[in-house]
Amino acid sequence: MIARSRRPLAALVAAVAVAASLIATSVPASAATYVVVSGSGSTWSSNALDQWRRNVANNYGMTVNFSGTGSSAGRADFIKGTVDFAVSEIPFQAAPEDGSAPERSDRPYAYLPIVAGGTALMYNLVISGKRVTDLKLSGEVVTKIFTGQISRWNDPAIQALNASLTLPDMKIVPVVRSDGSGSTAQFTKWMSTQYPGIWTTGMTSQFPADKLPDAKRQSGSLGVSGYVGNDNGVGSITYVEYSYPKGMGFPVVQVQNAAGNFVGPTAENVEIALRLARINEDQSSPDYLTQILNDVYSNPDPSAYPMSSYSYMIVPTAVGGVFTTEKGYTLGEFVKYVVCDGQKQAGALGYSPLPMNLVKAAFQQITRIPGSAVGEFNADSCNNKGAAGEAQAGGGGGAAGGAAASGGAAAATAGDAAAAGTTTEPVYDANGNLVSGSAGAGGAAAVSSPFTLAASSFGASQVGMLIATILFVVAVLVPPLLVRRARRR
Amino acid sequence: MSIVDAQERVRETPTDAVSRGGGRTRVPTAPAGRARPERRRPGTAALEDGFDLGGALLAGICVATLLFGWIAPLSGIIGWIVVAYIVFVAVYAVLVGLRADRLAVANRLATVLMATAGIVVLTALVFVVLYTVGRGIPALSHPNFFVETMRFAGPLDPLDVGGIAHAVVGTLIQIGIALAITVPLGIVTAVFLNEIGGPFARFVRTVSDAMTALPSIVAGLFVYAALITLVTKERSGFAAAVAITVMMLPIVIRSADVVLRLVPHHLREASYALGASRWRTVWTVVLPTSRSGLATAVILGTARGIGETSPVLLTSGVTAEMNTNPFSGPMISLPLQVFTFVQSPEPQMVARGFGTAAVLILLVLSLFVVARLIGGRGAGVLSDGQRRRATHRSRHDLIRITHRTRTDSPARSGGTTPTQENP
Amino acid sequence: MTDAVTEIIPPRETKTSTAPRRSLRSLPVFSDRVFRAVCFAAGGVTVAIMLAVGVFLSARGGQALASAGPSFLWVQEWNPRDGVPDSFGIAAVLFGTVTIAVIALLLSFPLAFGTALLISEILPNSVKRAMVTIVDLMAAVPSVVFGLWGVQYLQENAVPVAQWISSTFGWIPVFAVTGSDGASLTEASAFTSSAFIAGMVVALMVLPTQTSIMREAFSQAPIGEREGALALGSTRWGMIRTVVLPFGRGGIIGGTMLGLGRALGETIAVYMIISPIFTINWQVLKTGTNSVSALIALRYGESSEFGLSALMAAGLALFLITLVINFTASSIVARSRSGAESNG
């Protein structure tokens, strides 16, 4: 009986397998010279890597797989040898903060910069029914907010920087990441470098649990940005990749840079800041090839965004394990695409293109990948100045206006939202949320119950309602009694 | 009295006895002139019952409206529903109590409460499914969503490029492998727990009970550490299938155990009494009797295994390409694809994510329907085809037997007794 | 006086060879021996897989447990540092896990019970199959979708309900929502991401399992006893109460235990909703709770070796607790009538 009943199931599985093989053969075979390359790591960079993976598949028939499981998981995978490359915001930790064994890779490796971006501070503040879109904060105020030293929006330090706004007496709700995250690492690195007296914990991927007991902790960039973007999130502020508030049409804080200007994390401003990024060239140091961003944070350029950084790709520099020369050739071509043509789309994706100094540094490392055929850096063939070339005046709107020119309705909507920031007509983002301007209904009004009466005193309508209620109750209770009496008769 | 008299009396009919005037049984005659009692129809609900229900509903609505609109400063649609429900139940109890006794009131109240539970479950499900499908409609309305892969589609591409065919194939392959391992292993283990028993069986039962609470992420970490790091060195669909198996197995065993326990003992004993061996009893009596329950057990395990993201996150890897080889290379499945899509900042990726979730729900539902079709019938209930075949065989048996008895010579007496046919 | 009718017969001479003693052990046929071997093998493989997971948990968690010692059970923070004994402990995490599971079961048990009875006793056949499919559909929804729905839809609508409960029933300590200074909080941000909301979502996830198992048990209640109860004049509810429920006790408890297992181990939905804290929070409506599986999911990606070991130790603790609960439940189930013989 059971054998008979398994037959249809077996037939179903066989049919699926046949269909699957048909589908597999219908996919165009990749170019004979490329092999499949797999990597894992940073979720911060996964948006960009997904787009680049798709571009190389489209343009060259190259197959690259990337799993966004987290920077530490990526580094661990690289150490174990289960992936061909890893992407991480922080290098291998020689002295992990919790006293466990240092991360040491038996495979020789190199770091190269691939994706740059700014840490954006997304906030949700409503004054008299209108959403605030031009909040300005200094780095010190930001650090104090995220250590709990400034806890209300109308704190004099914040009010002093925003003379045009009457800030409400509301509690600031900081929203931080509950999972280990590269955004936390980059944010805490900036705080610990610039304001070590206020932020004493140093750089960490896990926002400390004992700091900020009143903070909300949400998982993932989606969680933190979703919390702030919700109606319940009025008064909250968080740090997140710029692509999220950009996609949601939400405003971000304009942070004061070393020149005293308040700038937003647009692609141009981040790229300008990163021109002062340096790479550790000391071969004997354990931090060889890692980033030195102290000059970036205090870049004197008037348009530089201080909280800028980039993430690394960790590539093997020797054949072994799963890594072969053919994979090295494919990986080399992929990285070359990423740091050159791929950077054109960085702005649209919410990141920033790598400045030339970092591109040159990347090329130096690509040549160390066994099997790569990428030559020396050639400024003419590697042009990544796409949309970032249009200079935007410092300050001003928070969204990347020019970079929104590429396809994708979301980017365009965000651009419109920013441009319309000061008009009074309501502007909505892709999800229909009110971004700026006054809506007809006056924004968040008090919840009105669905069945209120106009006046509260005893008037004609109230009498009518009372009579109607009594009639209904009578209509419900009386007939059964009448029917019972009729039956008995 | 003599024996003859008594015997004659026994042969009397009652009417004789009555007419004789001496029988001990009196047959009463119906008094004249009484009308026939009305026919009682037990199946249909009386008008009053419907009136009770409708009236109580109205009363609930009205009182809630009154409280929320005028008398008390309550607000919110949920509070309105709760107050209306409470008043409805109270008024209904009163109305039923007007005509019937306490037992009937308790009966009807219980029915109302059970119906409420069903309605709440239905509503919650509708909310969740509608929400998913509603947010996924932008992606679902493009046919390329079902046949293309994400190989040529990235975060900036509009919705008419790209699809999830690779994830669908990945899910089917992974769940196929997992089912191939779990169904035989789980059901045989459940049979072991019930039929053979003993201290080792108790130990197995305890361990599998504890495993039902295993966090799914631990199953993934286990497979990653044990299988991937030590054996295969790369993420693959097979590793994900093993992780899913580890999640599914305890549930299938537990549910099948509960269900096999329900098979009445007397069926088993009857089978033993007829001389069947242990395994034959299990094969022909126990398993067919509990077939619909075993289908439920497999379905519950599949539901858990197919919808879990965390075990496959660590073990299967993420890819945008079609991969039909479970032993090499990352193979993505639908729940992981949902997770990856919705984490993205681009709204069309989020729409794709919800569309993938809707496709997953549909896929699992169709698997369930198939499983219930295969195994859902109760014990002994035959499908139409089986009934026809059984009738056919019986007809053949009848012809064979009548032939044999007709042509049977006495020398062949004690001939073949009808053997038990295989069902 | 001696009666000539009764004659006493002396016992016969016993034979020198005694009658062979017959052994009462059954001699299994070859197929039965194969069957026993196969069953034992299946049980052995199952136990091997499960013990492998348990051994894996213990082995990986051993390092952290050795470093923390018994303080692992009562410390309320999570900052694992090798060599610092009081740096991490599961008190708060385990408390949160149990809180979420209890809330989920409290919400889902009446619903599952009512729905299972509805399907097996009350609904006519045509609607029954549709309702079974609908409950299966609920089991088909992936957990990540429940998490998303919980965060983006349910939370907005549940926060006013939580606010109302805390303002009306705030005199019960569990339902109060107070800040660190004891003053009660009323703003919405104090009610989001709480154990209550996570419990509601998890309740919906364990509902289909519970319902299906209870339904299977109820539908097997013997027809003879049902009809007997009805013939003796009981109402339908009386028949259910006296015949079906005692019979189905094994199914009720079995289904609930499976639901509890799922509720304790649910990862993705919980991790998307809650805002993790590392102190024991008795106020279930207030923001902040934790769960072992969410903790592991949130931290494994960025944890070093020792951190991972601490997470595995937490997983082991959960595993042991489930063992104890299930052991108690199965001893109750073993004494129930489900499966006992009846004259049906």
Side-chain angles (χ1 to χ4, degrees):
Chain A
M1 191 95 65
I2 294 206
R4 189 180 300 151
S5 63
R6 287 253 184 89
R7 265 194 245 131
L9 187 60
L12 182 68
V13 171
V16 165
V18 167
S21 58
L22 283 176
I23 295 172
T25 51
S26 69
V27 167
S30 41
T33 46
Y34 296 132
V35 294
V36 175
V37 177
S38 305
S40 71
S42 156
T43 47
W44 189 86
S45 324
S46 59
N47 205 23
L49 278 160
D50 199 21
Q51 182 66 29
W52 290 328
R53 158 209 68 74
R54 170 254 188 222
N55 290 347
V56 297
N58 240 335
N59 301 340
Y60 310 122
M62 206 191 301
T63 301
V64 176
N65 297 319
F66 181 72
S67 307
T69 46
S71 298
S72 294
R75 294 197 304 277
D77 284 344
F78 189 84
I79 292 178
K80 287 200 184 69
T82 52
V83 291
D84 301 314
F85 67 92
V87 178
S88 166
E89 275 77 48
I90 52 179
F92 287 117
Q93 301 292 290
E97 61 223 34
D98 55 3
S100 55
E103 295 177 359
R104 210 187 309 279
S105 164
D106 294 327
R107 303 161 71 173
Y109 60 90
Y111 300 110
L112 48 92
I114 50 163
V115 122
T119 306
L121 292 162
M122 180 177 163
Y123 66 96
N124 186 347
L125 195 57
V126 173
I127 299 181
S128 322
K130 274 182 51 161
R131 174 157 295 138
V132 176
T133 53
D134 53 353
L135 186 68
K136 302 174 176 49
L137 295 176
S138 71
E140 186 175 343
V141 169
V142 169
T143 314
K144 283 188 174 162
I145 289 178
F146 280 92
T147 49
Q149 294 180 20
I150 293 182
S151 57
R152 301 199 80 85
W153 281 107
N154 63 347
D155 191 285
I158 306 181
Q159 187 69 71
L161 297 166
N162 294 278
S164 57
L165 302 172
T166 345
L167 294 165
D169 182 21
M170 206 191 324
K171 203 165 68 159
I172 302 182
V173 181
V175 182
V176 302
R177 294 281 293 267
S178 57
D179 51 336
S181 128
S183 317
T184 310
Q186 289 176 342
F187 185 55
T188 51
K189 184 168 171 186
W190 171 79
M191 282 200 290
S192 63
T193 314
Q194 294 294 97
Y195 305 101
I198 311 177
W199 180 264
T200 51
T201 332
M203 186 198 76
T204 168
S205 302
Q206 188 76 48
F207 201 90
D210 45 1
K211 275 201 172 353
L212 283 190
D214 285 334
K216 293 269 169 286
R217 294 172 157 76
Q218 297 290 305
S219 73
S221 302
L222 183 72
V224 293
S225 58
Y227 188 92
V228 172
N230 205 306
D231 287 336
N232 283 334
V234 174
S236 56
I237 182 171
T238 185
Y239 58 89
V240 74
E241 292 94 272
Y242 181 50
S243 42
Y244 285 87
K246 189 164 163 244
M248 293 167 72
F250 251 76
V252 293
V253 169
Q254 291 162 44
V255 181
Q256 189 176 33
N257 62 9
N261 296 336
F262 294 92
V263 296
T266 62
E268 303 80 14
N269 299 349
V270 169
E271 198 248 338
I272 289 171
L274 281 174
R275 288 189 193 148
L276 287 190
R278 287 185 288 121
I279 297 193
N280 186 330
E281 302 283 350
D282 182 2
Q283 288 206 344
S284 57
S285 153
D287 293 330
Y288 177 50
L289 296 179
T290 63
Q291 56 193 211
I292 301 176
L293 294 178
N294 304 44
D295 299 330
V296 172
Y297 298 148
S298 48
N299 191 324
D301 192 291
S303 314
Y305 183 72
M307 295 198 281
S308 308
S309 57
Y310 64 85
S311 58
Y312 308 104
M313 181 185 282
I314 306 175
V315 293
T317 49
V319 176
V322 295
F323 197 68
T324 62
T325 345
E326 291 83 22
K327 284 195 179 176
Y329 172 67
T330 311
L331 188 58
E333 294 300 311
F334 177 60
V335 177
K336 178 176 143 205
Y337 173 81
V338 160
V339 300
C340 290
D341 294 321
Q343 298 294 319
K344 286 198 199 90
Q345 288 184 301
L349 291 164
Y351 304 95
S352 142
L354 290 172
M356 272 306 157
N357 50 322
L358 292 176
V359 175
K360 285 185 198 143
F363 263 86
Q364 280 178 334
Q365 303 307 320
I366 299 178
T367 53
R368 293 174 58 194
I369 302 176
S372 76
V374 170
E376 292 296 317
F377 170 67
N378 185 341
D380 299 323
S381 67
C382 180
N383 180 11
N384 73 346
K385 273 284 181 251
E390 304 162 61
Q392 275 248 328
S406 66
T413 322
D416 293 338
T422 50
T423 62
T424 49
E425 58 171 89
V427 178
Y428 298 90
D429 71 347
N431 290 332
N433 295 321
L434 178 66
V435 173
S436 67
S438 57
V447 174
S448 67
S449 76
F451 302 101
T452 41
L453 298 172
S456 58
S457 60
F458 212 93
S461 47
Q462 277 73 1
V463 173
M465 203 161 156
L466 195 55
I467 293 177
T469 317
I470 295 177
L471 275 178
F472 262 126
V473 172
V474 163
V476 164
L477 281 181
V478 165
L481 296 167
L482 289 177
V483 167
R484 196 157 53 158
R485 198 159 298 155
R487 274 272 173 75
R488 241 183 260 132
R489 226 170 274 134
Chain B
M1 73 180 70
S2 74
I3 295 182
V4 177
D5 284 338
Q7 281 179 333
E8 276 199 340
R9 207 150 287 154
V10 163
R11 272 186 243 112
E12 276 179 337
T13 60
T15 36
D16 294 347
V18 167
S19 51
R20 192 170 44 84
R24 293 172 65 184
T25 307
R26 305 188 70 82
V27 177
T29 48
R34 187 174 174 110
R36 278 175 87 191
E38 64 185 68
R39 281 194 84 124
R40 303 175 94 189
R41 281 172 302 175
T44 57
L47 187 64
E48 293 106 41
D49 295 335
F51 200 84
D52 286 342
L53 205 58
L57 271 172
L58 271 179
I61 292 176
C62 295
V63 173
T65 311
L66 199 64
L67 280 178
F68 274 70
W70 187 30
I71 295 182
L74 303 175
S75 69
I77 187 80
I78 297 187
W80 185 88
I81 293 177
V82 169
V83 169
Y85 179 70
I86 294 176
V87 172
F88 158 65
V89 171
V91 172
Y92 187 61
V94 165
L95 286 178
V96 171
L98 285 178
R99 288 191 297 117
D101 62 349
R102 201 178 53 86
L103 282 181
V105 170
N107 183 37
R108 288 206 184 268
L109 267 187
T111 311
V112 160
L113 288 174
M114 287 190 252
T116 316
I119 292 176
V120 168
V121 169
L122 207 61
T123 318
L125 175 73
V126 162
F127 263 134
V128 175
V129 172
L130 276 188
Y131 178 76
T132 311
V133 173
R135 286 197 66 174
I137 289 247
L140 289 171
S141 46
H142 299 273
N144 57 283
F145 190 67
F146 302 99
V147 290
E148 287 184 19
T149 70
M150 289 298 288
R151 183 179 157 87
F152 299 115
L156 293 177
D157 287 316
L159 287 171
D160 52 7
V161 179
I164 51 162
H166 60 301
V168 173
V169 167
T171 302
L172 287 174
I173 292 179
Q174 285 174 8
I175 201 72
I177 298 178
L179 277 176
I181 304 177
T182 309
V183 168
L185 190 60
I187 294 185
V188 175
T189 308
V191 164
F192 167 64
L193 292 179
N194 266 300
E195 299 296 320
I196 302 200
F200 183 55
R202 276 198 290 277
F203 177 63
V204 173
R205 184 176 279 138
T206 314
V207 170
S208 71
D209 283 352
M211 295 299 288
T212 56
L214 189 71
S216 35
I217 189 105
V218 173
L221 281 169
F222 164 67
V223 172
Y224 183 74
L227 195 64
I228 294 183
T229 314
L230 297 178
V231 179
T232 60
K233 285 282 187 259
E234 60 168 357
R235 295 193 164 92
S236 62
F238 178 67
V242 171
I244 295 177
T245 307
V246 170
M247 294 254 38
M248 277 171 66
L249 198 57
I251 298 180
V252 171
I253 293 177
R254 197 68 166 82
S255 323
D257 186 32
V258 167
V259 157
L260 284 179
R261 200 191 273 277
L262 292 170
V263 173
H265 281 297
H266 60 87
L267 286 181
R268 288 196 185 95
E269 289 163 5
S271 170
Y272 292 143
L274 285 172
S277 61
R278 212 52 177 298
W279 87 269
R280 201 163 173 84
T281 305
V282 165
W283 188 250
T284 55
V285 173
V286 176
L287 287 180
T289 308
S290 51
R291 190 169 58 176
S292 74
L294 289 178
T296 306
V298 170
I299 282 175
L300 288 177
T302 314
R304 180 84 194 268
I306 220 176
E308 283 289 342
T309 314
S310 15
V312 297
L313 176 65
L314 295 166
T315 51
S316 76
V318 172
T319 174
E321 320 270 334
M322 175 80 71
N323 181 5
T324 50
N325 183 353
F327 295 100
S328 97
M331 174 194 284
I332 198 169
S333 56
L334 285 170
L336 186 57
Q337 187 71 285
V338 174
F339 187 66
T340 322
F341 276 154
V342 298
Q343 300 279 359
S344 163
E346 313 287 341
Q348 59 265 32
M349 292 296 256
V350 174
R352 280 199 185 100
F354 279 102
T356 316
V359 168
L360 176 61
I361 295 176
L362 206 64
L363 182 72
V364 178
L365 189 64
S366 43
L367 281 178
F368 288 177
V369 166
V370 166
R372 288 227 183 269
L373 277 178
I374 293 176
R377 282 185 300 283
V381 174
L382 301 170
S383 72
D384 288 335
Q386 286 173 328
R387 201 178 310 128
R388 257 183 281 121
R389 279 193 290 275
T391 320
H392 199 64
R393 275 197 302 269
S394 302
R395 211 171 289 135
H396 269 267
D397 284 345
L398 182 61
I399 294 172
R400 184 174 51 84
I401 293 172
T402 48
H403 260 189
R404 193 156 292 162
T405 52
R406 249 185 260 132
T407 62
D408 219 2
S409 60
R412 285 212 302 163
S413 66
T416 56
T417 49
T419 54
Q420 178 189 13
E421 293 289 339
N422 280 329
Chain C
M1 73 187 178
T2 52
D3 209 315
V5 177
T6 308
E7 188 187 325
I8 296 175
I9 305 173
R12 216 182 276 244
E13 294 289 318
T14 54
K15 299 201 166 87
T16 44
S17 61
T18 52
R21 292 197 73 143
R22 299 179 67 189
S23 157
L24 291 177
R25 258 181 44 194
S26 56
L27 267 177
V29 291
F30 175 70
S31 51
D32 262 354
R33 256 182 269 146
V34 170
F35 173 67
R36 279 180 77 90
V38 166
C39 281
F40 266 102
V45 169
T46 308
V47 147
I49 295 178
M50 311 217 174
L51 279 189
V53 179
V55 163
F56 163 74
L57 276 179
S58 328
R60 296 290 270 120
Q63 181 195 8
L65 282 176
S67 160
S71 70
F72 182 65
L73 292 174
W74 59 74
V75 168
Q76 278 187 40
E77 66 174 283
W78 196 269
N79 223 344
R81 267 161 184 43
D82 202 352
V84 179
D86 281 344
S87 57
F88 67 103
I90 52 159
V93 181
L94 213 52
F95 182 81
T97 314
V98 170
T99 311
I100 296 178
V102 164
I103 294 177
L105 273 189
L106 280 177
L107 289 173
S108 76
F109 181 78
L111 288 176
F113 185 69
T115 312
L117 277 178
L118 185 76
I119 297 178
S120 72
E121 304 298 321
I122 299 182
L123 287 180
N125 261 333
S126 48
V127 188
K128 195 185 291 200
R129 214 166 313 151
M131 194 68 184
V132 167
T133 314
I134 287 175
V135 171
D136 284 347
L137 184 64
M138 214 160 172
V141 178
S143 36
V144 62
V145 170
F146 272 116
L148 281 171
W149 176 76
V151 169
Q152 297 181 0
Y153 179 82
L154 183 70
Q155 189 152 256
E156 303 176 20
N157 296 312
V159 163
V161 173
Q163 285 173 315
W164 179 82
I165 295 179
S166 96
S167 57
T168 318
F169 296 106
W171 45 273
I172 307 176
V174 178
F175 291 133
V177 173
T178 58
S180 42
D181 49 355
S184 74
L185 304 168
T186 48
E187 71 266 11
S189 68
F191 292 88
T192 58
S193 314
S194 59
F196 175 58
I197 298 180
M200 272 203 282
V201 173
V202 176
L204 288 179
M205 298 171 75
V206 306
L207 196 56
T209 319
Q210 275 187 290
T211 310
S212 295
I213 299 208
M214 288 189 199
R215 175 183 56 80
E216 287 287 345
F218 293 154
S219 56
Q220 295 277 3
I223 300 250
E225 293 184 20
R226 285 177 199 243
E227 291 175 353
L230 291 173
L232 285 172
S234 85
T235 55
R236 184 167 56 191
W237 172 243
M239 180 268 287
I240 293 175
R241 211 164 32 100
T242 52
V243 175
V244 177
L245 290 188
F247 184 85
R249 192 166 59 150
I252 294 177
I253 296 189
T256 310
M257 284 300 120
L258 265 184
L260 178 68
R262 175 87 188 257
L264 286 172
E266 178 51 44
T267 309
I268 288 268
V270 172
Y271 124 133
M272 290 177 97
I273 293 177
I274 64 173
S275 168
I277 58 166
F278 291 96
T279 53
I280 293 186
N281 178 15
W282 284 96
Q283 301 173 340
V284 300
L285 296 169
K286 186 173 166 203
T287 186
T289 177
N290 215 331
S291 140
V292 172
S293 37
L295 179 70
I296 299 178
L298 286 170
R299 302 249 173 169
Y300 87 91
E302 300 287 334
S303 277
S304 54
E305 281 296 304
F306 188 72
L308 215 49
S309 173
L311 292 175
M312 291 297 108
L316 184 67
L318 182 68
F319 184 65
L320 289 174
I321 287 188
T322 322
L323 209 73
V324 167
I325 296 179
N326 273 299
F327 199 67
T328 326
S330 50
S331 53
I332 302 179
V333 169
R335 286 197 222 108
S336 85
R337 274 200 62 211
S338 307
E341 64 277 337
S342 80
N343 299 322

